[in-house]
Amino acid sequence: MVEELVATGVVLASAGALYLMAAARVVKQYERGVVFRLGRLREQVRGPGFTMIVPLVDRLQKVNMQVVTMPVPAQEGITRDNVTVRVDAVVYFKVSAPAEAVVRVEDYRFAVAQMAQTSLRSIIGKSELDDLLSNREKLNQGLELMIDSPAVEWGVTIDRVEIKDVSLPETMKRSMARQAEADRDRRARVINADAEFQASKKLAEAAQQMADTPAALQLRLLQTVTAVAAEKNSTLVLPFPVELLRFLERAQHAPGAPQQAVAAPQQPAAAPQEAVAAAQQPVEAAEQTPPQIEQQPVQEQLPPSEPRLDQDSEGSNSGQG
């Protein structure tokens, strides 16, 4: 009798141990347990720690509640300004409702991945190339909203979406490089022109100051000579400015200079005029006297047999007189 009781106790203990082993479950801290009893979802979600289920009746399915990092394969598309690009992204999401993630969608990871690829292609077609390259924050927000709208019904919350890289064709890269180089060249020329303009203004002010004070030009010339001579050159090129001659000329015509030295060169100028006038008077007298001298020999040489010629000559002489 005792042996039978002992054997029964051993059997019961073994059955109890087997039941505990079959019913005992351990849920980790980052997991939640969803129980199906005879295929029907239990409302209570098992938390982390030790839990028990009914063997052969209940089925416990664990759902990871950690943030999942899912890379989106590179998608090739055409932007709104007709540029072919390849864009890849990464999606960060987590399960917010374990029961809905298990019941509403067969595989929520695969569903999120397909939705991310579709949304990425859609956002490429709606955006321009400049937005993909420079305005990524706005595109990331729009892509997050597009993925999060259907994912909420699956019990999944999209944490954030980031566009990783935008691959461009080689021809487009060269065109953008030329554009950037031209833009930098334009800015460099504008800056250089602005510097030249400011320098010209300063030089004009300096020239005005030197014009007011002519001695400043000589001092500047001496400074230049000193700077050139400091290099121990064997040949010294010394510029001779025209302004220095003008300075010396103005120094001669200064108010303190004697006036006789200036008026003296003007007196000889009248002598040549008088000499020219005196020379012209004998020339005019000489031009008037020769006809009278030449007419007398002509009259004496005429023969007496030709009286008409004498009369004609006398009439011509009287007309000339």
Side-chain angles (χ1 to χ4, degrees):
M1 186 66 182
V2 176
E3 293 178 358
E4 294 178 354
L5 292 175
V6 172
T8 305
V10 171
V11 171
L12 293 175
S14 300
L18 293 175
Y19 179 82
L20 290 175
M21 292 177 62
R25 295 288 186 275
V26 176
V27 181
K28 297 180 181 179
Q29 182 66 35
Y30 55 86
E31 294 178 339
R32 296 294 182 271
V34 180
V35 179
F36 292 91
R37 178 166 294 178
L38 297 176
R40 188 170 183 177
L41 178 66
R42 301 287 294 179
E43 296 180 357
Q44 184 180 3
V45 178
R46 305 298 175 87
F50 181 79
T51 184
M52 297 287 293
I53 61 173
V54 179
L56 304 177
V57 176
D58 295 342
R59 183 175 65 88
L60 180 66
Q61 185 173 351
K62 299 178 182 179
V63 180
N64 193 345
M65 302 295 291
Q66 291 178 323
V67 176
V68 180
T69 303
M70 177 179 294
V72 181
Q75 302 297 314
E76 184 174 357
I78 300 177
T79 60
R80 192 168 61 181
D81 50 355
N82 299 325
V83 179
T84 303
V85 294
R86 289 178 60 88
V87 182
D88 56 350
V90 59
V91 181
Y92 301 90
F93 68 94
K94 63 181 180 180
V95 177
S96 57
E100 295 180 357
V102 174
V103 174
R104 290 184 177 271
V105 64
E106 181 181 2
D107 187 356
Y108 65 89
R109 290 175 178 267
F110 181 74
V112 172
Q114 295 299 315
M115 180 57 65
Q117 296 180 21
T118 306
S119 301
L120 184 58
R121 284 179 174 270
S122 178
I123 207 71
I124 291 174
K126 294 179 180 179
S127 304
E128 295 183 356
L129 180 61
D130 295 337
D131 296 334
L132 290 174
L133 297 176
S134 61
N135 196 11
R136 291 190 180 183
E137 292 295 333
K138 184 178 179 180
L139 296 180
N140 292 337
Q141 294 177 1
L143 189 59
E144 180 180 350
L145 292 175
M146 293 178 66
I147 302 175
D148 191 49
S149 298
V152 173
E153 299 179 358
W154 304 336
V156 178
T157 302
I158 304 300
D159 191 8
R160 61 185 305 171
V161 181
E162 294 287 343
I163 296 177
K164 292 171 58 178
D165 188 20
V166 179
S167 300
L168 300 175
E170 294 297 330
T171 56
M172 182 59 64
K173 290 181 180 180
R174 289 194 294 268
S175 299
M176 295 178 65
R178 289 195 299 269
Q179 180 183 0
E181 184 179 357
D183 189 12
R184 290 181 179 274
D185 190 11
R186 179 184 63 82
R187 287 186 292 176
R189 291 188 178 183
V190 170
I191 294 173
N192 190 15
D194 190 11
E196 292 291 339
F197 177 71
Q198 294 180 3
S200 63
K201 291 178 64 176
K202 295 298 182 182
L203 289 175
E205 294 178 0
Q208 185 66 29
Q209 185 67 26
M210 288 183 180
D212 297 338
T213 308
L217 183 61
Q218 294 182 354
L219 294 177
R220 181 59 181 168
L221 180 60
L222 293 176
Q223 290 178 358
T224 305
V225 173
T226 304
V228 173
E231 299 295 333
K232 298 180 180 180
N233 295 326
S234 59
T235 303
L236 179 61
V237 178
L238 181 62
F240 191 77
V242 181
E243 287 77 5
L244 184 59
L245 297 177
R246 295 178 181 175
F247 171 74
L248 296 176
E249 183 179 359
R250 287 195 298 267
Q252 291 179 359
H253 295 285
Q259 297 180 357
Q260 296 178 355
V262 178
Q266 295 179 358
Q267 294 177 359
Q273 294 179 358
E274 296 177 355
V276 172
Q280 290 178 355
Q281 291 177 359
V283 172
E284 293 177 355
E287 290 178 354
Q288 293 176 0
T289 53
Q292 296 177 359
I293 299 171
E294 291 176 357
Q295 288 175 0
Q296 294 175 0
V298 172
Q299 292 177 0
E300 293 176 357
Q301 292 177 2
L302 289 176
S305 62
E306 294 179 358
R308 293 182 180 180
L309 294 175
D310 296 336
Q311 294 175 359
D312 294 337
S313 61
E314 290 176 359
S316 62
N317 292 329
S318 62
Q320 290 179 359

